[in-house]
Amino acid sequence: MEPQRSPLLEVKGNIELKRPLAKAASRLPLSGRRLKRGPDQMEEALEPEKKRTRGLGTRVTTTHPRAAALNSAPQTQGQTAVPRAPRKSAPRYSMAVAPVLKTQKPGPVVPAQKPGTTAAPPMVGGKKPKRPAWDLKGQLCDLNAELKCYRERKQVLDQENQQLQDQLREAKQQASVLGAERRTLEEELTRVRAQAEQGQRELGNLSARVLELEERLGTQEGLVQELQQEQLRLQEERRGLAAQLGEQERRLQTSEASLSDSQAEVASLRQAAAAREAVLAEREDRLHGLEMERRRLHNQLQELKGNIRVFCRVRPVLPGESTPSPGFLQFPSGPCGPSDPPTRLSLSRSDERRGTLSGAPAAPTRHDFSFDRVFPPGSGQDEVFEEISMLVQSALDGYPVCIFAYGQTGSGKTFTMEGGPGGDPRLEGLIPRALRHLFSVAQELRGQGWTYSFVASYVEIYNETVRDLLATGARKGQGGECEIRRAGPGSEELTVTNARYVPVSCEREVEALLHLARQNRAVARTAQNERSSRSHSVFQLQISGEHAGRGLQCAAPLSLVDLAGSERLDPGLALGPGERERLRETQAINSSLSTLGLVIMALSNKESHVPYRNSKLTYLLQNSLGGSAKMLMFVNISPLEENVSESLNSLRFASKVNQCVIGTAQANKK
């Protein structure tokens, strides 16, 4: 198929073919007068002819505005043919035709042939004959005919171009849709690959788990075989015991026969012994009561005579905490069975780093501890105080009494000493219960001639600084001015300077003091990074008694101490501003607790020098630790497995204290 040429190129080609026509001489007969003229005169003679040609071009332009540029091109060419080169007329004609082709609209326009216009000569031999150069109107008709053909071809090409543009637009839309689908498929492929990788990892984990379970299954099968053998052995023992039971039943029948023979004889003896049994029953009840009281007092006397009593208390699991495994904490029964209060504690600790040769985890390590009394998590505040009520009453008899609460933070020390919030009587701690008990007993002893007075003080020791918790008004926050001094020259009694000593005589006054102390500790905790929980709080009650009739006097302090948390230093602790303060607190706490242990060991070993002054805590409690003092330590532990390391440290420290002997307690009587 022959490629289509551009209409503009065809027009330019036709113009090039017609250029020689502009240079050819006119064949029209000229008059003799014109022939005799020179070139200039001929130009002037032709001037009217040119004007007529321009007028004709103007008329054609008016009738066909789209061909105006084409009509003017041949006239210009004819005028400039003689003086100028023919090559300069072609660009002008092309430039005149190009705007027409660009601005023309679809649809052929057929120019109307006016009368007098020369018709196009017929085609000769398939070729269009050339018109003479003077036949400008014929040439213009030919050009209009060609322009009409070009316009028709242009319209066809425009339609084809529009169809191609529509197809191109549809192809672009399809390409955009296919691109979106491709991106979606790529994302889906990435997700499927990630899922496949995750599935491979999970398959590897499950395979390792299957191998581990197979190993455990082998171990369990071995245990099952051992248990089956043990079951067979027990069945054999059961058959032997059944035979023995049959023999005992036969002997019992024989004994019952003998008993029936003796019942007649016993009946007569019962009548004689009935009166004696009534008297003996009354005496036995009284003797039993006295004996039980004697045993209890004797047992307490043996424990207090040269020993420090140590009680262990396990707090219950709080809401939101994980429940420990069943065998983590056990409380074996006492020597007399379940009715006997527990005195032993067994704690299991599993070490994941240890294992058997078969790959199974090693059995947990069990640690057994024995104390004077162990309180399980279900023990109430009343049960705890009932155990120490006789020790508290010893303070009325003139014995210095000191009760500690030792353990890590969150193990229940403050709850044991002060009680829980809300004012619930069942949650009252040792301090309000002890003072209520002392007030009650002092009231009973008043009938026997004794009168007592009580003076209370409440301080805390934070970073070896003594601070008064009963300070009010402008005296709050002046803990640095409190110092421990002797009460007077030659006196053994110690006092805290600038601290309040408040006389108390009823429970309401004690509750007001405890409330004030809690407020001061709460303010200190907010202002100085939980200061109260990182300090030792010491509640002291100075008891003075007098029997005017017999001239007897007694005086002794009752010290109830809530020690700070006994946590060890964290080796991975970052040394920021807050961490440095916490590090300094922990160092001060551990130093004072170590000094307390050294003081107790020195008293137990009867050393000549006891390092009371190494710590403000031991220096303040100097008169309540040695000599005629009676001491009781509560070691509080947490029931959570995550705190097993701190619990073991607390229990070991309490076991060492429980083994110490400080001498015989003596009353301070005058």
Side-chain angles (χ1 to χ4, degrees), residues 560-571:
L560 303 174
V561 185
D562 180 11
L563 297 176
S566 59
E567 292 83 7
R568 293 171 296 179
L569 289 174
D570 186 2

Side-chain angles (χ1 to χ4, degrees), residues 459 466-468 475 478-487 494-501 620:
V459 299
V466 182
R467 179 173 177 271
D468 185 15
R475 298 180 62 252
Q478 298 178 357
E481 301 179 2
C482 296
E483 296 293 339
I484 303 174
R485 295 285 186 266
R486 296 285 180 181
L494 296 176
T495 183
V496 179
T497 61
N498 297 326
R500 288 184 62 197
Y501 286 86
L620 178 62

Side-chain angles (χ1 to χ4, degrees), residues 173-244:
Q173 292 178 355
Q174 292 179 359
S176 62
V177 173
L178 292 176
E181 292 180 355
R182 174 178 172 272
R183 289 191 294 274
T184 304
L185 292 176
E186 288 178 352
E187 294 176 357
E188 182 68 17
L189 179 59
T190 304
R191 185 179 62 81
V192 171
R193 287 178 178 174
Q195 291 180 354
E197 294 176 358
Q198 180 67 19
Q200 290 293 337
R201 289 194 294 270
E202 293 180 356
L203 180 59
N205 296 336
L206 291 176
S207 300
R209 180 62 177 171
V210 168
L211 294 177
E212 180 183 356
L213 292 176
E214 287 178 353
E215 294 178 359
R216 293 180 61 183
L217 179 60
T219 305
Q220 296 297 331
E221 288 177 352
L223 294 176
V224 169
Q225 292 178 359
E226 294 178 0
L227 292 175
Q228 289 177 352
Q229 295 176 0
E230 182 69 16
Q231 182 181 7
L232 295 176
R233 185 181 63 79
L234 293 176
Q235 289 177 355
E236 292 293 336
E237 292 182 358
R238 177 179 174 277
R239 286 193 288 269
L241 293 175
Q244 294 180 6

Side-chain angles (χ1 to χ4, degrees), residues 412 615 628:
S615 171
S628 60

Side-chain angles (χ1 to χ4, degrees), residues 86-138:
R87 293 183 182 179
K88 296 182 179 180
S89 63
R92 294 180 181 178
Y93 188 83
S94 301
M95 292 176 63
V97 174
V100 174
L101 295 178
K102 290 182 181 180
T103 58
Q104 67 185 355
K105 296 183 180 179
V109 179
V110 180
Q113 185 174 1
K114 296 183 179 181
T117 303
T118 305
M123 301 290 292
V124 179
K127 297 183 179 179
K128 186 176 180 181
K130 297 182 179 179
R131 292 181 181 272
W134 54 265
D135 192 0
L136 297 177
K137 186 179 293 186

Side-chain angles (χ1 to χ4, degrees), residues 535-552:
S535 64
H536 309 298
S537 63
V538 182
F539 179 86
Q540 285 189 321
L541 186 69
Q542 299 292 337
I543 304 175
S544 301
E546 180 181 6
H547 194 289
R550 297 181 178 269
L552 299 178

Side-chain angles (χ1 to χ4, degrees), residues 156-173:
V156 174
L157 292 176
D158 289 341
Q159 293 176 356
E160 292 179 358
N161 185 24
Q162 184 66 28
Q163 293 177 357
L164 291 176
Q165 288 182 356
D166 295 340
Q167 293 177 1
L168 178 60
R169 191 180 303 106
E170 293 177 357
K172 288 183 179 180
Q173 292 178 355

